Short mmCIF file of all heavy atoms in Angstrom, two decimals:
data_model
loop_
_atom_site.label_atom_id
_atom_site.label_comp_id
_atom_site.label_asym_id
_atom_site.label_seq_id
_atom_site.Cartn_x
_atom_site.Cartn_y
_atom_site.Cartn_z
N MET A 459 10.95 -25.14 0.87
CA MET A 459 9.85 -24.21 0.84
C MET A 459 10.16 -23.04 1.78
O MET A 459 10.54 -23.24 2.91
CB MET A 459 8.57 -24.92 1.28
CG MET A 459 7.38 -24.00 1.32
SD MET A 459 5.80 -24.86 1.64
CE MET A 459 6.02 -25.36 3.33
N ALA A 460 9.97 -21.84 1.28
CA ALA A 460 10.23 -20.65 2.08
C ALA A 460 9.13 -20.46 3.11
O ALA A 460 7.96 -20.38 2.78
CB ALA A 460 10.32 -19.42 1.18
N VAL A 461 9.50 -20.38 4.36
CA VAL A 461 8.53 -20.26 5.44
C VAL A 461 7.87 -18.89 5.43
O VAL A 461 6.68 -18.76 5.66
CB VAL A 461 9.20 -20.54 6.80
CG1 VAL A 461 8.23 -20.29 7.93
CG2 VAL A 461 9.75 -21.94 6.84
N ASN A 462 8.62 -17.83 5.15
CA ASN A 462 8.10 -16.47 5.20
C ASN A 462 7.64 -15.97 3.84
O ASN A 462 7.57 -14.78 3.61
CB ASN A 462 9.16 -15.53 5.77
CG ASN A 462 9.46 -15.85 7.22
OD1 ASN A 462 8.58 -16.26 7.96
ND2 ASN A 462 10.68 -15.68 7.63
N LYS A 463 7.34 -16.86 2.93
CA LYS A 463 6.91 -16.49 1.59
C LYS A 463 5.58 -15.74 1.66
O LYS A 463 4.66 -16.14 2.37
CB LYS A 463 6.75 -17.76 0.76
CG LYS A 463 6.29 -17.53 -0.63
CD LYS A 463 6.20 -18.89 -1.33
CE LYS A 463 5.70 -18.72 -2.72
NZ LYS A 463 5.58 -20.03 -3.38
N VAL A 464 5.47 -14.65 0.92
CA VAL A 464 4.24 -13.86 0.88
C VAL A 464 3.32 -14.45 -0.18
O VAL A 464 3.70 -14.58 -1.33
CB VAL A 464 4.55 -12.38 0.56
CG1 VAL A 464 3.27 -11.60 0.43
CG2 VAL A 464 5.44 -11.78 1.63
N ILE A 465 2.14 -14.82 0.24
CA ILE A 465 1.14 -15.36 -0.67
C ILE A 465 0.22 -14.21 -1.10
O ILE A 465 -0.42 -13.58 -0.27
CB ILE A 465 0.30 -16.47 -0.02
CG1 ILE A 465 1.17 -17.63 0.44
CG2 ILE A 465 -0.81 -16.95 -0.95
CD1 ILE A 465 1.79 -18.43 -0.67
N GLN A 466 0.20 -13.91 -2.39
CA GLN A 466 -0.70 -12.89 -2.91
C GLN A 466 -2.09 -13.48 -3.04
O GLN A 466 -2.24 -14.66 -3.29
CB GLN A 466 -0.21 -12.42 -4.28
CG GLN A 466 1.18 -11.82 -4.28
CD GLN A 466 1.23 -10.49 -3.55
OE1 GLN A 466 0.27 -9.74 -3.57
NE2 GLN A 466 2.34 -10.21 -2.92
N HIS A 467 -3.12 -12.66 -2.89
CA HIS A 467 -4.47 -13.16 -3.10
C HIS A 467 -5.32 -12.10 -3.78
O HIS A 467 -5.09 -10.90 -3.63
CB HIS A 467 -5.12 -13.62 -1.78
CG HIS A 467 -5.34 -12.53 -0.78
ND1 HIS A 467 -4.35 -12.06 0.03
CD2 HIS A 467 -6.44 -11.82 -0.47
CE1 HIS A 467 -4.82 -11.13 0.81
NE2 HIS A 467 -6.09 -10.95 0.52
N THR A 468 -6.28 -12.57 -4.58
CA THR A 468 -7.17 -11.68 -5.30
C THR A 468 -8.54 -12.32 -5.42
O THR A 468 -8.65 -13.54 -5.43
CB THR A 468 -6.60 -11.34 -6.70
OG1 THR A 468 -7.52 -10.50 -7.38
CG2 THR A 468 -6.38 -12.59 -7.53
N ALA A 469 -9.57 -11.50 -5.51
CA ALA A 469 -10.93 -12.01 -5.65
C ALA A 469 -11.33 -12.16 -7.12
O ALA A 469 -12.41 -12.62 -7.42
CB ALA A 469 -11.91 -11.09 -4.94
N THR A 470 -10.45 -11.80 -8.01
CA THR A 470 -10.74 -11.92 -9.44
C THR A 470 -10.26 -13.28 -9.97
O THR A 470 -9.67 -14.06 -9.24
CB THR A 470 -10.06 -10.80 -10.23
OG1 THR A 470 -8.63 -10.95 -10.12
CG2 THR A 470 -10.46 -9.43 -9.71
N ASN A 471 -10.50 -13.53 -11.25
CA ASN A 471 -10.06 -14.79 -11.83
C ASN A 471 -8.74 -14.66 -12.60
O ASN A 471 -8.38 -15.52 -13.38
CB ASN A 471 -11.15 -15.37 -12.74
CG ASN A 471 -11.46 -14.45 -13.90
OD1 ASN A 471 -10.97 -13.33 -13.97
ND2 ASN A 471 -12.29 -14.90 -14.80
N SER A 472 -8.03 -13.56 -12.39
CA SER A 472 -6.73 -13.35 -13.03
C SER A 472 -5.84 -12.55 -12.08
O SER A 472 -6.29 -12.08 -11.05
CB SER A 472 -6.90 -12.58 -14.35
OG SER A 472 -7.43 -11.29 -14.09
N ILE A 473 -4.57 -12.42 -12.45
CA ILE A 473 -3.64 -11.65 -11.64
C ILE A 473 -2.96 -10.60 -12.51
O ILE A 473 -2.65 -10.85 -13.66
CB ILE A 473 -2.59 -12.55 -10.94
CG1 ILE A 473 -1.90 -13.48 -11.94
CG2 ILE A 473 -3.23 -13.36 -9.84
CD1 ILE A 473 -0.80 -14.32 -11.36
N GLU A 474 -2.75 -9.42 -11.96
CA GLU A 474 -2.14 -8.33 -12.70
C GLU A 474 -0.61 -8.40 -12.68
O GLU A 474 0.04 -7.87 -13.55
CB GLU A 474 -2.58 -6.98 -12.11
CG GLU A 474 -4.05 -6.74 -12.20
CD GLU A 474 -4.45 -5.44 -11.49
OE1 GLU A 474 -3.56 -4.74 -10.99
OE2 GLU A 474 -5.65 -5.16 -11.44
N TRP A 475 -0.05 -9.04 -11.66
CA TRP A 475 1.39 -9.01 -11.45
C TRP A 475 2.13 -10.15 -12.12
O TRP A 475 3.33 -10.28 -11.97
CB TRP A 475 1.70 -8.99 -9.95
CG TRP A 475 1.18 -10.20 -9.23
CD1 TRP A 475 1.83 -11.39 -9.08
CD2 TRP A 475 -0.06 -10.35 -8.59
NE1 TRP A 475 1.05 -12.28 -8.38
CE2 TRP A 475 -0.13 -11.65 -8.06
CE3 TRP A 475 -1.16 -9.51 -8.41
CZ2 TRP A 475 -1.23 -12.13 -7.38
CZ3 TRP A 475 -2.25 -9.99 -7.71
CH2 TRP A 475 -2.27 -11.27 -7.20
N GLY A 476 1.45 -10.99 -12.85
CA GLY A 476 2.14 -12.11 -13.49
C GLY A 476 1.21 -12.96 -14.32
O GLY A 476 0.07 -12.59 -14.60
N GLU A 477 1.71 -14.09 -14.69
CA GLU A 477 0.98 -15.03 -15.54
C GLU A 477 0.70 -16.30 -14.75
O GLU A 477 1.55 -16.78 -14.00
CB GLU A 477 1.85 -15.35 -16.76
CG GLU A 477 1.22 -16.26 -17.76
CD GLU A 477 2.15 -16.46 -18.96
OE1 GLU A 477 2.58 -15.47 -19.55
OE2 GLU A 477 2.45 -17.63 -19.25
N ILE A 478 -0.48 -16.85 -14.92
CA ILE A 478 -0.82 -18.11 -14.25
C ILE A 478 -0.21 -19.25 -15.05
O ILE A 478 -0.55 -19.46 -16.21
CB ILE A 478 -2.34 -18.28 -14.14
CG1 ILE A 478 -2.94 -17.15 -13.33
CG2 ILE A 478 -2.69 -19.64 -13.53
CD1 ILE A 478 -4.45 -17.11 -13.31
N SER A 479 0.73 -19.95 -14.45
CA SER A 479 1.42 -21.03 -15.16
C SER A 479 1.00 -22.41 -14.70
O SER A 479 1.28 -23.40 -15.36
CB SER A 479 2.94 -20.88 -14.98
OG SER A 479 3.28 -20.97 -13.62
N ARG A 480 0.32 -22.49 -13.55
CA ARG A 480 -0.08 -23.78 -13.01
C ARG A 480 -1.31 -23.59 -12.13
O ARG A 480 -1.40 -22.63 -11.37
CB ARG A 480 1.06 -24.37 -12.17
CG ARG A 480 0.74 -25.68 -11.51
CD ARG A 480 1.85 -26.09 -10.60
NE ARG A 480 1.97 -25.06 -9.55
CZ ARG A 480 2.65 -25.23 -8.43
NH1 ARG A 480 3.31 -26.33 -8.22
NH2 ARG A 480 2.72 -24.27 -7.53
N CYS A 481 -2.24 -24.51 -12.22
CA CYS A 481 -3.43 -24.49 -11.37
C CYS A 481 -3.40 -25.71 -10.46
O CYS A 481 -3.20 -26.82 -10.92
CB CYS A 481 -4.70 -24.50 -12.20
SG CYS A 481 -4.96 -22.99 -13.13
N ASN A 482 -3.58 -25.49 -9.18
CA ASN A 482 -3.64 -26.57 -8.21
C ASN A 482 -5.09 -26.94 -7.94
O ASN A 482 -6.02 -26.25 -8.36
CB ASN A 482 -2.98 -26.14 -6.89
CG ASN A 482 -1.51 -25.88 -7.06
OD1 ASN A 482 -0.79 -26.69 -7.62
ND2 ASN A 482 -1.05 -24.73 -6.59
N ASP A 483 -5.28 -28.02 -7.20
CA ASP A 483 -6.62 -28.36 -6.76
C ASP A 483 -7.14 -27.25 -5.85
O ASP A 483 -6.36 -26.57 -5.19
CB ASP A 483 -6.61 -29.69 -5.99
CG ASP A 483 -6.32 -30.87 -6.89
OD1 ASP A 483 -6.63 -30.78 -8.10
OD2 ASP A 483 -5.80 -31.88 -6.39
N PRO A 484 -8.45 -27.06 -5.81
CA PRO A 484 -9.01 -26.01 -4.95
C PRO A 484 -8.70 -26.25 -3.47
O PRO A 484 -8.61 -27.39 -3.03
CB PRO A 484 -10.52 -26.11 -5.18
CG PRO A 484 -10.67 -26.85 -6.46
CD PRO A 484 -9.48 -27.75 -6.58
N ILE A 485 -8.51 -25.15 -2.75
CA ILE A 485 -8.37 -25.22 -1.29
C ILE A 485 -9.51 -24.42 -0.69
O ILE A 485 -10.08 -23.54 -1.34
CB ILE A 485 -7.01 -24.68 -0.81
CG1 ILE A 485 -6.79 -23.24 -1.28
CG2 ILE A 485 -5.87 -25.57 -1.26
CD1 ILE A 485 -5.54 -22.59 -0.72
N ALA A 486 -9.87 -24.74 0.54
CA ALA A 486 -10.98 -24.06 1.19
C ALA A 486 -10.67 -23.86 2.67
O ALA A 486 -9.83 -24.56 3.23
CB ALA A 486 -12.26 -24.87 1.04
N ALA A 487 -11.35 -22.90 3.25
CA ALA A 487 -11.22 -22.64 4.69
C ALA A 487 -12.61 -22.36 5.24
O ALA A 487 -13.36 -21.60 4.67
CB ALA A 487 -10.30 -21.45 4.93
N ILE A 488 -12.91 -23.01 6.34
CA ILE A 488 -14.18 -22.78 7.02
C ILE A 488 -13.87 -22.27 8.42
O ILE A 488 -13.11 -22.89 9.15
CB ILE A 488 -15.01 -24.07 7.11
CG1 ILE A 488 -15.33 -24.57 5.70
CG2 ILE A 488 -16.28 -23.85 7.91
CD1 ILE A 488 -15.95 -25.96 5.67
N VAL A 489 -14.44 -21.13 8.76
CA VAL A 489 -14.20 -20.52 10.06
C VAL A 489 -15.55 -20.31 10.74
O VAL A 489 -16.48 -19.76 10.15
CB VAL A 489 -13.47 -19.16 9.92
CG1 VAL A 489 -13.27 -18.51 11.28
CG2 VAL A 489 -12.15 -19.34 9.21
N VAL A 490 -15.67 -20.76 11.98
CA VAL A 490 -16.90 -20.59 12.75
C VAL A 490 -16.55 -19.87 14.04
O VAL A 490 -15.64 -20.26 14.75
CB VAL A 490 -17.54 -21.96 13.08
CG1 VAL A 490 -18.79 -21.77 13.93
CG2 VAL A 490 -17.85 -22.72 11.80
N ILE A 491 -17.29 -18.79 14.32
CA ILE A 491 -17.10 -18.04 15.55
C ILE A 491 -18.46 -17.95 16.23
O ILE A 491 -19.45 -17.54 15.62
CB ILE A 491 -16.55 -16.63 15.28
CG1 ILE A 491 -15.14 -16.71 14.71
CG2 ILE A 491 -16.57 -15.79 16.55
CD1 ILE A 491 -14.51 -15.38 14.42
N GLY A 492 -18.51 -18.34 17.48
CA GLY A 492 -19.77 -18.27 18.23
C GLY A 492 -19.98 -16.89 18.82
O GLY A 492 -19.05 -16.11 18.97
N THR A 493 -21.22 -16.60 19.12
CA THR A 493 -21.55 -15.34 19.78
C THR A 493 -22.23 -15.65 21.11
O THR A 493 -22.76 -16.73 21.31
CB THR A 493 -22.50 -14.47 18.93
OG1 THR A 493 -23.70 -15.20 18.68
CG2 THR A 493 -21.85 -14.10 17.61
N THR A 494 -22.21 -14.69 21.98
CA THR A 494 -22.85 -14.88 23.29
C THR A 494 -24.33 -14.53 23.19
O THR A 494 -24.77 -13.90 22.23
CB THR A 494 -22.19 -13.98 24.36
OG1 THR A 494 -22.45 -12.62 24.01
CG2 THR A 494 -20.71 -14.23 24.44
N VAL A 495 -25.07 -14.90 24.19
CA VAL A 495 -26.50 -14.58 24.22
C VAL A 495 -26.71 -13.08 24.25
O VAL A 495 -27.64 -12.55 23.66
CB VAL A 495 -27.19 -15.29 25.42
CG1 VAL A 495 -26.72 -14.71 26.73
CG2 VAL A 495 -28.70 -15.19 25.30
N PHE A 496 -25.78 -12.34 24.88
CA PHE A 496 -25.91 -10.89 24.93
C PHE A 496 -25.71 -10.25 23.56
O PHE A 496 -26.39 -9.30 23.21
CB PHE A 496 -24.94 -10.30 25.96
CG PHE A 496 -25.17 -10.83 27.35
CD1 PHE A 496 -24.25 -11.67 27.95
CD2 PHE A 496 -26.32 -10.50 28.04
CE1 PHE A 496 -24.46 -12.17 29.22
CE2 PHE A 496 -26.55 -11.00 29.32
CZ PHE A 496 -25.61 -11.84 29.90
N SER A 497 -24.79 -10.81 22.78
CA SER A 497 -24.60 -10.32 21.41
C SER A 497 -25.84 -10.57 20.57
O SER A 497 -26.25 -9.74 19.77
CB SER A 497 -23.40 -11.00 20.76
OG SER A 497 -22.21 -10.66 21.40
N ASN A 498 -26.44 -11.76 20.76
CA ASN A 498 -27.65 -12.09 20.01
C ASN A 498 -28.81 -11.16 20.37
O ASN A 498 -29.55 -10.73 19.49
CB ASN A 498 -28.05 -13.55 20.26
CG ASN A 498 -27.09 -14.51 19.61
OD1 ASN A 498 -26.44 -14.17 18.65
ND2 ASN A 498 -27.02 -15.71 20.14
N ILE A 499 -28.96 -10.86 21.65
CA ILE A 499 -30.03 -9.96 22.07
C ILE A 499 -29.78 -8.56 21.51
O ILE A 499 -30.68 -7.93 20.95
CB ILE A 499 -30.15 -9.92 23.61
CG1 ILE A 499 -30.65 -11.27 24.12
CG2 ILE A 499 -31.06 -8.78 24.08
CD1 ILE A 499 -30.58 -11.43 25.63
N GLY A 500 -28.54 -8.09 21.61
CA GLY A 500 -28.21 -6.77 21.06
C GLY A 500 -28.41 -6.72 19.56
O GLY A 500 -28.92 -5.75 19.01
N GLY A 501 -28.03 -7.80 18.87
CA GLY A 501 -28.22 -7.87 17.43
C GLY A 501 -29.69 -7.86 17.05
O GLY A 501 -30.09 -7.27 16.04
N SER A 502 -30.53 -8.49 17.88
CA SER A 502 -31.97 -8.49 17.63
C SER A 502 -32.54 -7.09 17.72
O SER A 502 -33.40 -6.70 16.92
CB SER A 502 -32.68 -9.41 18.62
OG SER A 502 -32.26 -10.74 18.44
N TYR A 503 -32.09 -6.31 18.71
CA TYR A 503 -32.56 -4.92 18.82
C TYR A 503 -32.11 -4.10 17.63
O TYR A 503 -32.88 -3.28 17.11
CB TYR A 503 -32.06 -4.28 20.13
CG TYR A 503 -32.83 -4.69 21.33
CD1 TYR A 503 -32.25 -5.47 22.33
CD2 TYR A 503 -34.16 -4.31 21.50
CE1 TYR A 503 -32.97 -5.86 23.45
CE2 TYR A 503 -34.89 -4.69 22.62
CZ TYR A 503 -34.28 -5.47 23.58
OH TYR A 503 -34.99 -5.85 24.68
N VAL A 504 -30.89 -4.31 17.18
CA VAL A 504 -30.40 -3.57 16.02
C VAL A 504 -31.21 -3.94 14.79
O VAL A 504 -31.58 -3.07 13.99
CB VAL A 504 -28.89 -3.84 15.79
CG1 VAL A 504 -28.43 -3.28 14.46
CG2 VAL A 504 -28.07 -3.23 16.92
N ASP A 505 -31.53 -5.23 14.63
CA ASP A 505 -32.37 -5.65 13.51
C ASP A 505 -33.74 -4.98 13.56
O ASP A 505 -34.27 -4.55 12.54
CB ASP A 505 -32.56 -7.18 13.51
CG ASP A 505 -31.32 -7.92 13.06
OD1 ASP A 505 -30.44 -7.29 12.45
OD2 ASP A 505 -31.24 -9.13 13.32
N PHE A 506 -34.30 -4.91 14.75
CA PHE A 506 -35.65 -4.36 14.89
C PHE A 506 -35.66 -2.84 14.70
O PHE A 506 -36.49 -2.31 13.97
CB PHE A 506 -36.23 -4.72 16.28
CG PHE A 506 -37.64 -4.27 16.47
CD1 PHE A 506 -38.68 -4.96 15.87
CD2 PHE A 506 -37.92 -3.16 17.24
CE1 PHE A 506 -39.99 -4.55 16.04
CE2 PHE A 506 -39.22 -2.74 17.43
CZ PHE A 506 -40.26 -3.43 16.82
N PHE A 507 -34.75 -2.13 15.35
CA PHE A 507 -34.75 -0.68 15.32
C PHE A 507 -33.90 -0.09 14.20
O PHE A 507 -34.01 1.09 13.88
CB PHE A 507 -34.27 -0.11 16.67
CG PHE A 507 -35.21 -0.39 17.79
CD1 PHE A 507 -34.86 -1.28 18.80
CD2 PHE A 507 -36.45 0.22 17.85
CE1 PHE A 507 -35.74 -1.55 19.85
CE2 PHE A 507 -37.33 -0.03 18.90
CZ PHE A 507 -36.97 -0.93 19.89
N GLY A 508 -33.03 -0.89 13.63
CA GLY A 508 -32.14 -0.39 12.58
C GLY A 508 -30.81 0.04 13.16
O GLY A 508 -30.68 0.27 14.35
N GLY A 509 -29.81 0.12 12.32
CA GLY A 509 -28.49 0.53 12.76
C GLY A 509 -27.45 -0.52 12.45
O GLY A 509 -27.70 -1.45 11.68
N ARG A 510 -26.30 -0.36 13.06
CA ARG A 510 -25.18 -1.27 12.83
C ARG A 510 -24.83 -1.99 14.11
O ARG A 510 -24.77 -1.40 15.18
CB ARG A 510 -23.96 -0.49 12.35
CG ARG A 510 -24.15 0.16 10.99
CD ARG A 510 -22.99 1.01 10.60
NE ARG A 510 -21.76 0.25 10.53
CZ ARG A 510 -20.61 0.75 10.14
NH1 ARG A 510 -20.53 2.01 9.81
NH2 ARG A 510 -19.55 -0.01 10.10
N SER A 511 -24.57 -3.28 13.98
CA SER A 511 -24.15 -4.08 15.12
C SER A 511 -22.64 -4.23 15.08
O SER A 511 -22.10 -5.01 14.30
CB SER A 511 -24.81 -5.46 15.08
OG SER A 511 -24.30 -6.27 16.10
N THR A 512 -21.95 -3.44 15.91
CA THR A 512 -20.49 -3.47 15.89
C THR A 512 -19.94 -4.82 16.35
O THR A 512 -18.89 -5.25 15.87
CB THR A 512 -19.90 -2.35 16.76
OG1 THR A 512 -20.41 -2.44 18.08
CG2 THR A 512 -20.24 -0.99 16.17
N ASN A 513 -20.65 -5.51 17.26
CA ASN A 513 -20.19 -6.83 17.69
C ASN A 513 -20.18 -7.82 16.54
O ASN A 513 -19.23 -8.57 16.36
CB ASN A 513 -21.06 -7.37 18.83
CG ASN A 513 -20.77 -6.69 20.15
OD1 ASN A 513 -19.69 -6.16 20.35
ND2 ASN A 513 -21.74 -6.70 21.05
N TYR A 514 -21.25 -7.84 15.76
CA TYR A 514 -21.31 -8.74 14.62
C TYR A 514 -20.29 -8.33 13.55
O TYR A 514 -19.69 -9.18 12.90
CB TYR A 514 -22.71 -8.80 14.02
CG TYR A 514 -23.66 -9.67 14.82
CD1 TYR A 514 -24.84 -9.17 15.33
CD2 TYR A 514 -23.35 -11.01 15.06
CE1 TYR A 514 -25.70 -9.96 16.07
CE2 TYR A 514 -24.21 -11.81 15.80
CZ TYR A 514 -25.37 -11.29 16.30
OH TYR A 514 -26.20 -12.08 17.02
N GLU A 515 -20.09 -7.03 13.36
CA GLU A 515 -19.10 -6.57 12.39
C GLU A 515 -17.70 -7.03 12.80
O GLU A 515 -16.92 -7.47 11.95
CB GLU A 515 -19.13 -5.05 12.26
CG GLU A 515 -20.35 -4.54 11.51
CD GLU A 515 -20.41 -3.03 11.44
OE1 GLU A 515 -19.44 -2.35 11.88
OE2 GLU A 515 -21.41 -2.51 10.94
N LYS A 516 -17.39 -6.93 14.08
CA LYS A 516 -16.09 -7.40 14.57
C LYS A 516 -15.93 -8.90 14.35
O LYS A 516 -14.86 -9.37 13.94
CB LYS A 516 -15.91 -7.06 16.05
CG LYS A 516 -15.70 -5.59 16.33
CD LYS A 516 -15.62 -5.33 17.82
CE LYS A 516 -15.57 -3.85 18.11
NZ LYS A 516 -15.58 -3.57 19.56
N ASN A 517 -16.99 -9.66 14.63
CA ASN A 517 -16.94 -11.11 14.41
C ASN A 517 -16.75 -11.45 12.94
O ASN A 517 -15.98 -12.36 12.60
CB ASN A 517 -18.20 -11.78 14.95
CG ASN A 517 -18.23 -11.89 16.45
OD1 ASN A 517 -17.20 -11.77 17.10
ND2 ASN A 517 -19.40 -12.10 17.01
N MET A 518 -17.43 -10.74 12.07
CA MET A 518 -17.29 -11.00 10.63
C MET A 518 -15.87 -10.67 10.16
O MET A 518 -15.29 -11.40 9.36
CB MET A 518 -18.32 -10.18 9.83
CG MET A 518 -19.76 -10.59 10.10
SD MET A 518 -20.11 -12.28 9.61
CE MET A 518 -20.07 -12.13 7.86
N GLN A 519 -15.31 -9.57 10.65
CA GLN A 519 -13.94 -9.21 10.29
C GLN A 519 -12.96 -10.26 10.79
O GLN A 519 -12.02 -10.64 10.08
CB GLN A 519 -13.58 -7.83 10.87
CG GLN A 519 -12.21 -7.33 10.49
CD GLN A 519 -12.07 -7.08 9.00
OE1 GLN A 519 -13.02 -6.76 8.31
NE2 GLN A 519 -10.86 -7.22 8.50
N GLU A 520 -13.16 -10.76 12.00
CA GLU A 520 -12.30 -11.81 12.56
C GLU A 520 -12.39 -13.08 11.71
O GLU A 520 -11.38 -13.73 11.43
CB GLU A 520 -12.70 -12.10 14.01
CG GLU A 520 -11.91 -13.20 14.66
CD GLU A 520 -10.45 -12.86 14.89
OE1 GLU A 520 -10.11 -11.67 14.93
OE2 GLU A 520 -9.66 -13.82 15.03
#
Side-chain angles (χ1 to χ4, degrees):
M459 178 173 69
V461 175
N462 294 326
K463 179 179 178 181
V464 176
I465 301 291
Q466 300 291 328
H467 64 279
T468 178
T470 64
N471 62 353
S472 63
I473 52 176
E474 298 175 3
W475 61 87
E477 182 178 306
I478 299 172
S479 61
R480 177 186 62 165
C481 292
N482 295 311
D483 291 333
I485 57 174
I488 298 171
V489 178
V490 177
I491 294 180
T493 59
T494 66
V495 68
F496 300 111
S497 295
N498 290 335
I499 292 170
S502 296
Y503 282 112
V504 170
D505 286 343
F506 184 76
F507 293 111
R510 295 175 60 176
S511 174
T512 56
N513 285 336
Y514 282 122
E515 287 178 6
K516 288 176 187 176
N517 285 342
M518 295 297 289
Q519 183 65 29
E520 177 68 21

